[in-house]
Amino acid sequence: YTLIIVTSNKILEIKPESIYENISHGKNNTISSIFLNSTGNDIITNISFNVIGFQDFNFTFYPNVTQINAGEIIEVKVNVTVPKYYPSGIYNGTINVTWENGYKEINVSLRVLTDRTWDAFPKNCTANMYPFYGVVCNVTIENYGNEIITFNVSPQYGNYSYVLDTYFEVLPGYKYNLTIYYNTTDAPIQYHNTTFKIDALEIDSNPDYILIYIVINPFVGPQINITLIPNVTEQTSNITINATILDRSGIGIYYVKAIIRKPDNLTEEL
């Protein structure tokens, strides 16, 4: 008889040679698959995956393969998580696949996409005409993206409302408070509406702009004049209280309530 000895021949083919993918910040991205193809005649053990060059990224490999049988093909999915607000750009490194008798380097190039997503709130603000000046509201502009966003606000002066800041930048992950003021001195008693446009100047901003609607209500407190006759009197004597109430809202006065506090600290409502 003839004795034939088949020796162990461990061969592991790995694809692809390189990986190039676009990824987004603040998300878990499935970037590719690595295929392990055991074309030899024996089990291969001590398989591991090591990432070089992406210190800020978190790589995971599924399934977690440590060995492969002869003739077996395994697909390993590669996932990478990029920190939120991570700057856009191209980042390069390698994935090293090692096993008991060999290794394979896979070149990896990842492009973190530019994101200029933002929002502004509230989008509707109201104020009353009285007092005659003050703050309508504070609008918060928040940058959810990974790049600086430049803003322009127009108009600066509206219909008795205005802003002081018309040009500013917001860093990734930061907020900016835009104060909208009003001054209704000598303004007619009516509704005063203004629409401010907050415009993101970079062409890839999302959204391109947001409108803020301002309404100043025609509410003005009444003018009240009170006189006492006589102004000074003796105990148990009578005092006449005259009150003149002038409506300045343009909508009329439906009722008037007066509360009088007496010397004994008791009150009487008229």
Side-chain angles (χ1 to χ4, degrees):
Y1 63 92
T2 302
L3 178 62
I4 299 175
I5 300 175
V6 179
T7 59
S8 174
N9 185 22
K10 300 181 179 183
I11 303 173
L12 184 60
E13 296 180 356
I14 298 178
K15 298 292 183 181
E17 298 293 328
S18 60
I19 297 173
Y20 180 86
E21 292 289 342
N22 293 329
I23 58 177
S24 300
H25 74 104
K27 296 180 180 179
N28 181 266
N29 306 264
T30 299
I31 62 172
S32 184
S33 292
I34 297 176
F35 291 91
L36 309 179
N37 184 9
S38 178
T39 58
N41 64 353
D42 203 353
I43 187 172
I44 298 175
T45 60
N46 297 328
I47 299 173
S48 64
F49 299 84
N50 298 288
V51 179
I52 298 175
F54 297 99
Q55 289 82 359
D56 298 325
F57 298 174
N58 182 35
F59 281 77
T60 57
F61 302 90
Y62 182 81
N64 182 25
V65 178
T66 58
Q67 66 180 37
I68 185 171
N69 295 319
E72 187 178 8
I73 299 176
I74 299 178
E75 178 185 3
V76 178
K77 292 187 179 297
V78 183
N79 299 291
V80 59
T81 301
V82 181
K84 194 166 181 60
Y85 312 122
Y86 205 81
S88 61
I90 297 176
Y91 300 89
N92 299 308
T94 59
I95 297 175
N96 290 343
V97 185
T98 60
W99 59 97
E100 57 184 286
N101 62 340
Y103 73 95
K104 171 79 173 184
E105 286 188 353
I106 301 174
N107 294 320
V108 180
S109 183
L110 301 178
R111 179 173 178 260
V112 178
L113 299 174
T114 298
D115 178 17
R116 285 191 170 93
T117 304
W118 64 284
D119 199 1
F121 47 89
K123 297 177 175 61
N124 296 276
C125 298
T126 61
N128 295 322
M129 289 184 65
Y130 183 83
F132 295 119
Y133 57 88
V135 174
V136 181
C137 65
N138 290 299
V139 177
T140 300
I141 296 126
E142 186 167 2
N143 183 354
Y144 301 119
N146 62 352
E147 293 292 339
I148 294 176
I149 306 177
T150 308
F151 294 95
N152 181 70
V153 181
S154 62
Q156 181 175 9
Y157 296 96
N159 196 10
Y160 298 98
S161 57
Y162 62 95
V163 296
L164 297 179
D165 304 327
T166 59
Y167 182 88
F168 51 88
E169 295 179 338
V170 183
L171 298 173
Y174 280 77
K175 300 177 182 179
Y176 186 89
N177 289 322
L178 176 68
T179 302
I180 301 179
Y181 301 89
Y182 75 95
N183 188 333
T184 54
T185 304
D186 299 326
I189 300 175
Q190 62 187 47
Y191 286 99
H192 299 285
N193 302 315
T194 302
T195 300
F196 290 97
K197 181 180 181 181
I198 303 177
D199 191 8
L201 301 183
E202 287 78 11
I203 60 174
D204 55 352
S205 299
N206 180 29
D208 183 26
Y209 64 88
I210 288 177
L211 300 179
I212 306 297
Y213 300 95
I214 304 298
V215 178
I216 300 178
N217 297 316
F219 175 80
V220 181
Q223 180 177 324
I224 302 175
N225 294 313
I226 298 177
T227 58
L228 303 177
I229 302 175
N231 214 13
V232 178
T233 186
E234 297 179 355
Q235 189 174 3
T236 71
S237 298
N238 295 326
I239 295 178
T240 302
I241 302 174
N242 293 319
T244 303
I245 303 172
L246 175 63
D247 172 44
R248 298 186 298 176
S249 67
I251 59 176
I253 298 176
Y254 294 98
Y255 71 94
V256 175
K257 179 172 66 174
I259 298 176
I260 300 174
R261 185 176 298 276
K262 301 178 181 179
D264 56 7
N265 210 34
L266 298 177
T267 59
E268 182 177 345
E269 183 175 319
L270 302 178

